[in-house]
Amino acid sequence: MSSYSRVALVTGANKGIGFAIARELCRQFSGDVLLTARDAERGRAAVQQLQAEGLSPRFHQLDIDDLQSIRTLRDFLRREYGGLNVLVNNAGIAFKFDDPTPFDIQAEMTLKTNFFAVRNVCTELLPIIKPHGRVVNISSLQGSKALENCREDLQEKFRCETLTEEDLVDLMKKFVEDAKNEVHEREGWPSSAYGVSKLGVTVLSRIQAKKLDEKRKADRILLNACCPGWVKTDMAGDYGSRTVEEGAETPVYLALLPPDATEPHGQLVRDKVIQNW
Protein backbone atom coordinates (compact mmCIF):
# COMPACT_ATOMS: atom_id res chain seq x y z
CA MET A 1 0.00 0.00 0.00
CA SER A 2 1.25 3.47 -0.87
CA SER A 3 -1.15 5.06 1.65
CA TYR A 4 1.65 6.37 3.82
CA SER A 5 4.27 7.10 1.16
CA ARG A 6 5.62 10.62 1.03
CA VAL A 7 4.57 12.62 -2.00
CA ALA A 8 5.75 15.82 -3.71
CA LEU A 9 3.58 17.55 -6.32
CA VAL A 10 4.60 20.02 -9.04
CA THR A 11 1.99 21.96 -11.03
CA GLY A 12 2.56 22.79 -14.70
CA ALA A 13 5.38 20.27 -14.83
CA ASN A 14 5.28 18.99 -18.41
CA LYS A 15 7.87 21.53 -19.61
CA GLY A 16 10.19 24.37 -18.63
CA ILE A 17 11.04 25.08 -15.00
CA GLY A 18 8.27 22.80 -13.73
CA PHE A 19 9.73 19.86 -15.64
CA ALA A 20 13.23 20.61 -14.32
CA ILE A 21 11.87 20.83 -10.75
CA ALA A 22 10.05 17.49 -11.14
CA ARG A 23 13.21 15.88 -12.52
CA GLU A 24 15.35 17.11 -9.63
CA LEU A 25 12.76 16.05 -7.04
CA CYS A 26 12.71 12.58 -8.64
CA ARG A 27 16.45 12.46 -7.96
CA GLN A 28 16.46 13.92 -4.45
CA PHE A 29 13.05 13.53 -2.77
CA SER A 30 12.46 10.37 -0.76
CA GLY A 31 8.96 9.46 -1.91
CA ASP A 32 6.72 9.71 -4.95
CA VAL A 33 6.87 12.72 -7.26
CA LEU A 34 3.58 13.67 -8.89
CA LEU A 35 4.08 15.50 -12.17
CA THR A 36 0.88 17.37 -13.08
CA ALA A 37 -0.13 19.09 -16.29
CA ARG A 38 -3.29 20.53 -17.81
CA ASP A 39 -2.84 18.50 -21.00
CA ALA A 40 -2.78 14.79 -20.08
CA GLU A 41 -1.03 13.78 -23.30
CA ARG A 42 1.82 16.24 -22.73
CA GLY A 43 2.01 15.29 -19.08
CA ARG A 44 2.34 11.59 -19.87
CA ALA A 45 4.96 12.36 -22.53
CA ALA A 46 6.96 14.26 -19.88
CA VAL A 47 6.69 11.28 -17.51
CA GLN A 48 7.95 8.97 -20.28
CA GLN A 49 10.89 11.31 -20.90
CA LEU A 50 11.88 11.11 -17.23
CA GLN A 51 11.36 7.34 -17.19
CA ALA A 52 13.79 7.11 -20.12
CA GLU A 53 16.32 8.82 -17.81
CA GLY A 54 15.76 6.11 -15.20
CA LEU A 55 13.46 8.22 -12.99
CA SER A 56 9.95 7.24 -11.90
CA PRO A 57 7.47 10.10 -11.50
CA ARG A 58 3.71 9.54 -11.43
CA PHE A 59 1.27 11.59 -13.51
CA HIS A 60 -1.99 13.25 -12.53
CA GLN A 61 -3.97 15.67 -14.68
CA LEU A 62 -4.44 19.14 -13.17
CA ASP A 63 -5.85 22.29 -14.73
CA ILE A 64 -5.37 24.93 -12.04
CA ASP A 65 -7.98 27.15 -13.75
CA ASP A 66 -10.60 24.45 -13.04
CA LEU A 67 -11.66 24.21 -9.39
CA GLN A 68 -13.13 20.74 -9.92
CA SER A 69 -9.80 19.53 -11.34
CA ILE A 70 -8.03 20.81 -8.19
CA ARG A 71 -10.55 19.05 -5.95
CA THR A 72 -10.23 15.79 -7.88
CA LEU A 73 -6.49 15.93 -7.30
CA ARG A 74 -6.99 16.76 -3.61
CA ASP A 75 -9.27 13.73 -3.18
CA PHE A 76 -6.70 11.52 -4.96
CA LEU A 77 -3.94 12.74 -2.63
CA ARG A 78 -6.08 12.08 0.44
CA ARG A 79 -6.98 8.61 -0.77
CA GLU A 80 -3.53 7.52 -1.98
CA TYR A 81 -1.23 9.30 0.45
CA GLY A 82 -3.35 10.61 3.30
CA GLY A 83 -2.22 14.12 2.36
CA LEU A 84 0.70 15.93 0.75
CA ASN A 85 4.30 16.57 1.80
CA VAL A 86 5.58 19.01 -0.80
CA LEU A 87 3.62 21.38 -3.05
CA VAL A 88 5.34 23.41 -5.76
CA ASN A 89 2.97 25.90 -7.37
CA ASN A 90 4.75 26.39 -10.68
CA ALA A 91 1.92 26.60 -13.27
CA GLY A 92 1.49 30.07 -14.73
CA ILE A 93 1.19 32.11 -17.92
CA ALA A 94 2.81 35.19 -19.40
CA PHE A 95 2.03 37.13 -22.56
CA LYS A 96 4.99 37.92 -24.82
CA PHE A 97 6.24 41.52 -24.92
CA ASP A 98 4.88 42.10 -28.41
CA ASP A 99 1.56 40.28 -27.93
CA PRO A 100 -1.22 42.35 -29.56
CA THR A 101 -3.88 41.16 -27.05
CA PRO A 102 -5.51 44.24 -25.42
CA PHE A 103 -4.13 45.00 -21.95
CA ASP A 104 -7.44 44.46 -20.16
CA ILE A 105 -7.68 40.91 -21.57
CA GLN A 106 -4.05 40.25 -20.66
CA ALA A 107 -4.74 41.49 -17.11
CA GLU A 108 -7.82 39.32 -16.70
CA MET A 109 -6.24 36.14 -18.09
CA THR A 110 -2.89 36.56 -16.33
CA LEU A 111 -4.45 37.25 -12.93
CA LYS A 112 -6.96 34.41 -13.40
CA THR A 113 -4.19 31.81 -13.70
CA ASN A 114 -1.20 33.30 -11.89
CA PHE A 115 -3.03 34.59 -8.84
CA PHE A 116 -6.62 33.38 -8.47
CA ALA A 117 -5.96 29.81 -9.64
CA VAL A 118 -2.80 29.50 -7.53
CA ARG A 119 -4.81 30.74 -4.54
CA ASN A 120 -7.46 28.08 -5.27
CA VAL A 121 -4.77 25.37 -5.31
CA CYS A 122 -3.54 26.61 -1.92
CA THR A 123 -7.06 26.82 -0.49
CA GLU A 124 -7.74 23.19 -1.42
CA LEU A 125 -4.31 21.65 -0.75
CA LEU A 126 -2.85 23.52 2.24
CA PRO A 127 -5.31 21.82 4.64
CA ILE A 128 -3.92 18.41 3.61
CA ILE A 129 -0.23 19.37 3.88
CA LYS A 130 1.38 17.04 6.43
CA PRO A 131 3.57 18.12 9.37
CA HIS A 132 7.01 19.35 8.21
CA GLY A 133 5.45 19.93 4.77
CA ARG A 134 6.99 22.39 2.32
CA VAL A 135 5.10 24.77 0.01
CA VAL A 136 6.87 26.70 -2.74
CA ASN A 137 5.01 29.33 -4.76
CA ILE A 138 6.90 30.31 -7.91
CA SER A 139 6.86 34.08 -8.04
CA SER A 140 9.21 36.59 -9.65
CA LEU A 141 11.23 39.71 -8.92
CA GLN A 142 8.95 41.21 -11.58
CA GLY A 143 6.44 41.31 -8.71
CA SER A 144 8.83 43.41 -6.62
CA LYS A 145 9.39 45.69 -9.62
CA ALA A 146 5.61 46.03 -10.05
CA LEU A 147 5.34 47.02 -6.37
CA GLU A 148 7.97 49.75 -6.83
CA ASN A 149 5.97 51.05 -9.80
CA CYS A 150 2.71 51.21 -7.84
CA ARG A 151 1.52 54.51 -6.41
CA GLU A 152 2.61 55.04 -2.81
CA ASP A 153 -0.80 54.36 -1.23
CA LEU A 154 -1.00 51.01 -3.07
CA GLN A 155 2.54 50.13 -1.99
CA GLU A 156 1.53 50.75 1.61
CA LYS A 157 -1.47 48.44 1.28
CA PHE A 158 0.61 45.59 -0.16
CA ARG A 159 3.32 46.01 2.47
CA CYS A 160 0.86 46.28 5.38
CA GLU A 161 1.49 43.47 7.90
CA THR A 162 -2.23 43.24 8.74
CA LEU A 163 -3.36 42.82 5.12
CA THR A 164 -5.72 39.81 4.96
CA GLU A 165 -6.12 37.32 2.13
CA GLU A 166 -9.56 38.82 1.40
CA ASP A 167 -8.02 42.34 1.23
CA LEU A 168 -5.41 41.02 -1.21
CA VAL A 169 -8.09 39.38 -3.37
CA ASP A 170 -9.95 42.71 -3.48
CA LEU A 171 -6.77 44.51 -4.60
CA MET A 172 -6.17 41.95 -7.38
CA LYS A 173 -9.80 42.27 -8.52
CA LYS A 174 -9.48 46.05 -8.52
CA PHE A 175 -6.44 45.89 -10.79
CA VAL A 176 -8.38 43.75 -13.32
CA GLU A 177 -11.39 46.07 -13.06
CA ASP A 178 -9.25 49.20 -13.47
CA ALA A 179 -7.55 47.62 -16.51
CA LYS A 180 -10.97 46.88 -18.04
CA ASN A 181 -12.04 50.47 -17.48
CA GLU A 182 -8.71 51.71 -18.89
CA VAL A 183 -7.97 53.64 -15.69
CA HIS A 184 -5.29 51.37 -14.17
CA GLU A 185 -2.47 53.89 -14.64
CA ARG A 186 -4.60 56.72 -13.25
CA GLU A 187 -5.41 54.48 -10.27
CA GLY A 188 -1.70 54.01 -9.55
CA TRP A 189 -1.03 50.59 -11.12
CA PRO A 190 1.94 49.65 -13.32
CA SER A 191 1.29 48.39 -16.86
CA SER A 192 2.55 44.87 -16.18
CA ALA A 193 -0.15 42.26 -15.69
CA TYR A 194 2.50 39.59 -15.10
CA GLY A 195 4.27 41.78 -12.52
CA VAL A 196 1.04 42.49 -10.61
CA SER A 197 0.09 38.80 -10.69
CA LYS A 198 3.45 37.81 -9.18
CA LEU A 199 3.26 40.62 -6.62
CA GLY A 200 -0.01 38.97 -5.61
CA VAL A 201 1.70 35.57 -5.27
CA THR A 202 4.52 37.00 -3.12
CA VAL A 203 2.11 38.80 -0.78
CA LEU A 204 -0.23 35.77 -0.68
CA SER A 205 2.74 33.64 0.42
CA ARG A 206 3.48 36.02 3.31
CA ILE A 207 -0.17 35.93 4.42
CA GLN A 208 -0.47 32.15 4.13
CA ALA A 209 2.74 31.56 6.08
CA LYS A 210 1.37 33.73 8.87
CA LYS A 211 -1.90 31.75 8.84
CA LEU A 212 0.02 28.48 9.11
CA ASP A 213 1.87 29.89 12.14
CA GLU A 214 -1.42 30.84 13.77
CA LYS A 215 -3.25 27.57 13.12
CA ARG A 216 -0.58 24.87 12.79
CA LYS A 217 2.58 26.18 14.47
CA ALA A 218 3.51 22.75 15.87
CA ASP A 219 3.45 21.21 12.37
CA ARG A 220 6.45 23.33 11.33
CA ILE A 221 5.28 23.70 7.75
CA LEU A 222 7.41 26.15 5.74
CA LEU A 223 5.83 28.15 2.92
CA ASN A 224 7.78 30.52 0.68
CA ALA A 225 7.67 32.33 -2.64
CA CYS A 226 10.71 32.27 -4.89
CA CYS A 227 12.08 33.82 -8.03
CA PRO A 228 13.75 31.27 -10.33
CA GLY A 229 15.38 34.02 -12.39
CA TRP A 230 15.07 34.82 -16.08
CA VAL A 231 15.09 31.33 -17.53
CA LYS A 232 15.18 30.10 -21.13
CA THR A 233 11.65 28.67 -21.42
CA ASP A 234 8.66 29.03 -23.78
CA MET A 235 7.64 31.91 -21.50
CA ALA A 236 10.85 33.94 -21.64
CA GLY A 237 12.04 32.73 -25.04
CA ASP A 238 15.67 33.43 -25.88
CA TYR A 239 15.70 36.42 -23.54
CA GLY A 240 16.33 34.07 -20.62
CA SER A 241 19.87 34.06 -19.23
CA ARG A 242 19.55 30.86 -17.17
CA THR A 243 18.98 27.22 -17.98
CA VAL A 244 15.87 25.51 -16.64
CA GLU A 245 18.16 23.50 -14.35
CA GLU A 246 19.50 26.74 -12.84
CA GLY A 247 15.93 28.02 -12.53
CA ALA A 248 14.93 24.87 -10.63
CA GLU A 249 17.69 25.19 -8.00
CA THR A 250 16.01 27.55 -5.54
CA PRO A 251 12.51 25.96 -5.77
CA VAL A 252 14.04 22.52 -5.13
CA TYR A 253 16.14 23.88 -2.25
CA LEU A 254 12.97 25.28 -0.62
CA ALA A 255 11.00 22.09 -1.32
CA LEU A 256 13.67 20.01 0.42
CA LEU A 257 14.39 22.16 3.48
CA PRO A 258 15.22 19.71 6.30
CA PRO A 259 12.51 18.75 8.85
CA ASP A 260 14.14 20.76 11.65
CA ALA A 261 14.42 23.96 9.56
CA THR A 262 12.51 26.99 10.85
CA GLU A 263 13.30 29.40 8.03
CA PRO A 264 12.93 30.80 5.47
CA HIS A 265 9.18 31.08 5.98
CA GLY A 266 6.81 33.57 4.34
CA GLN A 267 9.70 35.03 2.36
CA LEU A 268 10.62 35.77 -1.23
CA VAL A 269 13.80 33.84 -2.04
CA ARG A 270 16.12 34.10 -5.03
CA ASP A 271 19.37 32.15 -5.44
CA LYS A 272 18.67 30.67 -1.97
CA VAL A 273 18.83 34.18 -0.46
CA ILE A 274 15.90 36.01 1.17
CA GLN A 275 14.98 39.16 -0.80
CA ASN A 276 13.83 42.47 0.62
CA TRP A 277 10.86 43.79 -1.31
Side-chain angles (χ1 to χ4, degrees), residues 33-45:
V33 175
L34 213 55
L35 182 155
T36 71
R38 182 174 53 190
D39 184 305
E41 205 174 305
R42 288 178 183 171
R44 290 200 176 93

Side-chain angles (χ1 to χ4, degrees), residues 17-91:
I17 298 170
F19 181 76
I21 293 169
R23 174 193 272 140
E24 209 46 52
L25 286 176
C26 283
R27 290 173 179 158
Q28 295 188 47
F29 177 74
S30 59
D32 288 352
V33 175
L34 213 55
L35 182 155
T36 71
R38 182 174 53 190
D39 184 305
E41 205 174 305
R42 288 178 183 171
R44 290 200 176 93
V47 163
Q48 284 172 354
Q49 194 179 329
L50 291 177
Q51 285 171 339
E53 296 175 19
L55 304 170
S56 46
R58 295 185 71 180
F59 174 71
H60 199 290
Q61 193 272 342
L62 172 65
D63 178 356
I64 68 166
D65 284 331
D66 178 356
L67 191 54
Q68 194 47 55
S69 176
I70 300 169
R71 288 176 174 164
T72 300
L73 175 62
R74 177 201 64 196
D75 295 345
F76 167 82
L77 289 165
R78 273 201 186 125
R79 195 169 58 245
E80 287 275 314
Y81 298 98
L84 179 60
N85 300 93
V86 172
L87 168 62
V88 181
N89 274 311
N90 166 75

Side-chain angles (χ1 to χ4, degrees), residues 9-268:
L9 183 151
V10 187
T11 70
N14 60 290
K15 63 178 182 178
I17 298 170
F19 181 76
I21 293 169
R23 174 193 272 140
E24 209 46 52
L25 286 176
C26 283
R27 290 173 179 158
Q28 295 188 47
F29 177 74
S30 59
D32 288 352
V33 175
L34 213 55
L35 182 155
T36 71
R38 182 174 53 190
D39 184 305
E41 205 174 305
R42 288 178 183 171
R44 290 200 176 93
V47 163
Q48 284 172 354
Q49 194 179 329
L50 291 177
Q51 285 171 339
E53 296 175 19
L55 304 170
S56 46
R58 295 185 71 180
F59 174 71
H60 199 290
Q61 193 272 342
L62 172 65
D63 178 356
I64 68 166
D65 284 331
D66 178 356
L67 191 54
Q68 194 47 55
S69 176
I70 300 169
R71 288 176 174 164
T72 300
L73 175 62
R74 177 201 64 196
D75 295 345
F76 167 82
L77 289 165
R78 273 201 186 125
R79 195 169 58 245
E80 287 275 314
Y81 298 98
L84 179 60
N85 300 93
V86 172
L87 168 62
V88 181
N89 274 311
N90 166 75
I93 64 164
F95 284 85
K96 297 275 194 287
F97 294 122
D98 53 357
D99 193 295
T101 306
F103 184 75
D104 63 319
I105 306 292
Q106 290 196 27
E108 186 172 19
M109 290 178 70
T110 305
L111 272 282
K112 180 184 180 221
T113 298
N114 291 6
F115 177 77
F116 292 106
V118 168
R119 177 178 178 248
N120 285 341
V121 172
C122 290
T123 301
E124 299 300 327
L125 298 188
L126 285 186
I128 66 165
I129 295 278
K130 293 181 179 182
H132 304 287
R134 303 289 178 250
V135 181
V136 185
N137 295 327
I138 305 294
S139 188
S140 170
L141 289 186
Q142 291 295 314
S144 309
K145 194 174 171 189
L147 179 64
E148 287 168 19
N149 291 330
C150 283
R151 200 169 57 202
E152 206 166 298
D153 58 322
L154 277 175
Q155 288 189 34
E156 281 174 17
K157 285 177 184 173
F158 282 116
R159 288 196 166 105
C160 177
E161 286 295 322
T162 57
L163 187 78
T164 66
E165 198 168 316
E166 291 69 30
D167 294 335
L168 177 60
V169 165
D170 287 344
L171 281 168
M172 295 287 109
K173 283 179 177 170
K174 186 176 188 309
F175 170 69
V176 174
E177 201 58 36
D178 288 346
K180 270 186 191 167
N181 295 326
E182 298 182 1
V183 296
H184 67 280
E185 287 182 339
R186 198 173 75 210
E187 290 294 313
W189 298 101
S191 287
S192 169
Y194 183 78
V196 172
S197 76
K198 292 303 189 180
L199 168 59
V201 170
T202 300
V203 178
L204 181 67
S205 303
R206 185 189 74 201
I207 293 168
Q208 288 174 337
K210 200 176 281 184
K211 264 192 195 169
L212 284 168
D213 281 348
E214 287 164 9
K215 294 181 176 174
R216 300 181 60 185
K217 185 77 173 168
D219 286 345
R220 298 177 75 160
I221 296 163
L222 297 180
L223 183 154
N224 291 285
C226 72
C227 174
W230 202 225
V231 176
K232 287 186 177 72
T233 60
D234 288 355
M235 201 183 267
D238 295 329
Y239 296 104
S241 56
R242 296 181 169 198
T243 64
V244 288
E245 288 76 21
E246 288 168 333
E249 273 180 28
T250 294
V252 170
Y253 155 73
L254 292 171
L256 299 177
L257 285 168
D260 59 348
T262 55
E263 57 181 29
H265 183 48
Q267 302 289 349
L268 175 64

